[in-house]
Amino acid sequence: MSAPSKNDHRKALGRLSLPERTFVADALRAETVGGVLLLVAAIAAVIWANVPALHHSYETVSHWHIGPKTLGLNLSMTHWAADGLLAIFFFVAGIELKRELVAGDLRDPKAAVLPVVAAVSGMAMPAIVYAIVNAVGGGNLDGWAVPTATDIAFALAVLAVIGTSLPSALRAFLLTLAVVDDLFAILIIAIFFTSDLNFAALGGAVAGLVVFWLLLRKGVRGWYVYVPLALVIWGLMYNSGVHATIAGVAMGLMLRCHREEGEEHSPGEHIEHLVRPVSAGLAVPLFALFSAGVAVSGKSLGDVFTRPETLGVVLGLVVGKALGIFGGTWLTARFTRASLSDELAWPDVFAVATLAGIGFTVSLLIGELAFTEDPVLTDEVKASVLVGSVIAAILAGILLKIRNAKYRALCEAEERDEDQDGIPDIYEMDKPEYHLRMARIYEEKAAEHRRLAEVTTGAGDEDARPA
């Protein structure tokens, strides 16, 4: 046997084959895989930050600065993850929002009203819960916005894993709700967490966005045009004092998401298809890695439920989200002409409302922005986001499991075909011939059971007869 040639060996970290590359990219576009990667990164961050032998290296890497000082971009790795990589996530969120506005549920006001109201009330109630807890406990009200956000990647991943038999309308409701939630989270960041404005840099960023829009309108193609321009816009937006992720959202909203004649995919759909694996597989997990690394101990977990700021976050995510989304949806359906989809029941809405309490990515980001002057409180608030998200995920998982079992039983009943004629029985129950056929089948089964019983009894008597 000849020795394998040098070309037969696969290089470590070498280029993947086309089928492998396609498989990996498609996997990263799935909510389940993106949510799992996010969870793995968060767990890795907690372990890295809490193992004594590794804690120092985590702090060193997190605070390591890189980037050109002359451009005002000499940032720590934590800032690069939160302000840079997360802009990719918000770019994809902007495209999703644009698609929902032009081709999704948000295009039709009648269909959009319930998820929009659910999103608004689902952000208002957690803020109210946080404010009440901190007003009573004498805490810091600056973190009111922390529990208002829903992590779309985590929530959809949990729904995809558990809700295999749930109606598709439930996923559409959650997706629309989460997209609107992202929009308001972006507005909250832009309005309430913008530092002193540098109007020259802000003007440059706006001018860059105008150029970006004009190039899109003219049909100019080529990543070598848009990627450098996007980096310039992002850098100017960062230096303006407005949170840099706003640049990603703005560019995502500018993309055309409706299909013109002869197009299989719109430019927005095509670019989202290309960028989503980068967002789900790199940007969001790295953000979680550098943001979720908080010191966790019995005392710190106990403090989560005793300090008003952290308790407000936990109750806002677990209680505020569920009450806000479910209550807002029910009241809207009760007192307006808006109605719930025929495929859904109110227990489904409550399960999804509980699921929306998973406020991981954007909640961590807002937690960093709300308490920049107090690093200790920032870490405690991050811990409370983790605790609240885990509690919401567990409760939602139980509720969704119960609802999934019920829908699975309904599906099995609808697909049952006892007479084996290729037509589900549910579509034939109003036909007399179906009942005659089923009666004949049951009579044949009963006769067969009687014959088996007689044979068994006879065999028993034969064995019992003396030799």
Side-chain angles (χ1 to χ4, degrees):
M1 183 181 294
S2 60
S5 67
K6 193 177 294 185
N7 292 332
D8 292 335
H9 292 287
R10 180 71 168 271
K11 291 182 180 179
L13 301 179
R15 179 186 298 172
L16 295 175
S17 66
L18 181 59
E20 290 173 324
R21 187 179 69 183
T22 303
F23 174 80
V24 170
D26 288 343
L28 290 174
R29 292 183 185 102
E31 292 91 356
T32 309
V33 176
V36 168
L37 287 176
L38 185 57
L39 179 61
V40 169
I43 293 173
V46 172
I47 293 173
W48 192 3
N50 285 273
V51 173
L54 302 175
H55 174 75
H56 180 69
S57 64
Y58 183 81
E59 291 295 320
T60 301
V61 174
S62 297
H63 295 98
W64 182 50
H65 281 64
I66 186 173
K69 288 185 179 180
T70 54
L71 299 178
L73 296 175
N74 185 242
L75 311 178
S76 67
M77 295 301 292
T78 301
H79 274 97
W80 275 113
D83 295 278
L85 290 176
L86 212 56
I88 301 173
F89 166 79
F90 278 104
F91 174 69
V92 174
I95 299 175
E96 288 180 337
L97 177 60
K98 179 66 173 291
R99 191 177 66 243
E100 287 293 319
L101 287 169
V102 300
D105 288 341
L106 296 181
R107 179 184 58 177
D108 181 4
K110 293 181 180 179
V113 64
L114 277 182
V116 169
V117 170
V120 173
S121 56
M123 298 187 81
M125 185 58 71
I128 292 171
V129 169
Y130 179 93
I132 292 173
V133 171
N134 282 268
V136 172
N140 189 333
L141 292 174
D142 290 346
W144 64 270
V146 176
T148 60
T150 294
D151 191 298
I152 185 172
F154 256 156
L156 288 175
V158 172
L159 186 63
V161 171
I162 296 177
T164 52
S165 299
L166 292 172
S168 58
L170 195 62
R171 184 187 182 281
F173 181 84
L174 176 61
L175 180 61
T176 307
L177 181 154
V179 168
V180 177
D181 188 286
D182 280 344
L183 171 63
F184 282 99
I186 292 160
L187 292 175
I188 287 173
I189 292 171
I191 296 171
F192 296 100
F193 298 103
T194 294
S195 55
D196 296 334
L197 289 176
N198 180 332
F199 288 100
L202 182 60
V206 172
L209 288 171
V210 171
V211 172
F212 188 89
W213 180 75
L214 289 173
L215 290 174
L216 290 172
R217 288 292 300 269
K218 296 293 184 181
V220 176
R221 296 177 179 271
W223 64 267
Y224 45 85
V225 175
Y226 291 102
V227 171
L229 179 59
L231 291 174
V232 170
I233 294 170
W234 175 85
L236 290 168
M237 190 70 75
Y238 177 83
N239 282 286
S240 72
V242 177
H243 200 270
T245 53
I246 303 300
V249 178
M251 287 184 280
L253 288 170
M254 288 181 182
L255 292 174
R256 177 169 60 82
C257 290
H258 65 274
R259 300 176 189 177
E260 294 184 347
E261 188 176 354
E263 284 186 337
E264 186 177 354
H265 302 289
S266 67
E269 291 172 318
H270 177 66
I271 293 173
E272 181 191 1
H273 186 76
L274 295 175
V275 178
R276 183 177 288 279
V278 179
S279 172
L282 179 69
V284 176
L286 281 179
F287 168 75
L289 184 65
F290 288 111
S291 295
V294 295
V296 177
S297 64
K299 182 180 182 303
S300 64
L301 291 177
D303 290 344
V304 165
F305 296 98
T306 56
R307 184 160 183 169
E309 294 88 352
T310 51
L311 180 61
V313 170
V314 173
L315 292 179
L317 289 172
V318 177
V319 179
K321 274 288 184 182
L323 290 179
I325 292 173
F326 182 80
T329 306
W330 186 86
L331 288 172
T332 304
R334 175 69 177 80
F335 295 106
T336 70
R337 293 183 178 181
S339 60
L340 198 63
S341 169
D342 293 337
E343 296 181 34
L344 300 180
W346 287 111
D348 302 330
V349 177
F350 186 74
V352 166
T354 306
L355 182 63
I358 302 175
F360 193 80
T361 306
V362 182
S363 289
L364 287 175
L365 175 61
I366 296 176
E368 291 181 353
L369 298 174
F371 300 107
T372 52
E373 303 299 324
D374 191 343
V376 174
L377 183 55
T378 298
D379 284 347
E380 291 177 347
V381 167
K382 286 182 179 180
S384 67
V385 170
L386 297 177
V387 171
S389 297
V390 169
I391 294 173
I394 292 172
L395 293 176
I398 294 171
L399 294 173
L400 289 171
K401 199 76 176 174
I402 295 171
R403 299 302 300 166
N404 193 65
K406 180 171 182 178
Y407 281 109
R408 187 187 298 116
L410 289 174
C411 289
E412 291 173 355
E414 288 185 355
E415 294 173 1
R416 187 178 295 122
D417 184 18
E418 291 194 7
D419 58 352
Q420 298 181 353
D421 64 344
I423 302 174
D425 296 341
I426 195 170
Y427 294 101
E428 299 182 292
M429 287 185 175
D430 57 343
K431 299 179 181 179
E433 58 269 23
Y434 165 77
H435 293 285
L436 291 173
R437 191 161 60 248
M438 292 303 299
R440 186 166 60 253
I441 290 172
Y442 288 135
E443 185 179 342
E444 290 174 355
K445 287 183 178 180
E448 185 177 352
H449 283 304
R450 286 195 298 271
R451 284 196 300 272
L452 286 173
E454 290 172 359
V455 170
T456 303
T457 306
D461 293 343
E462 187 74 26
D463 292 340
R465 197 173 299 157

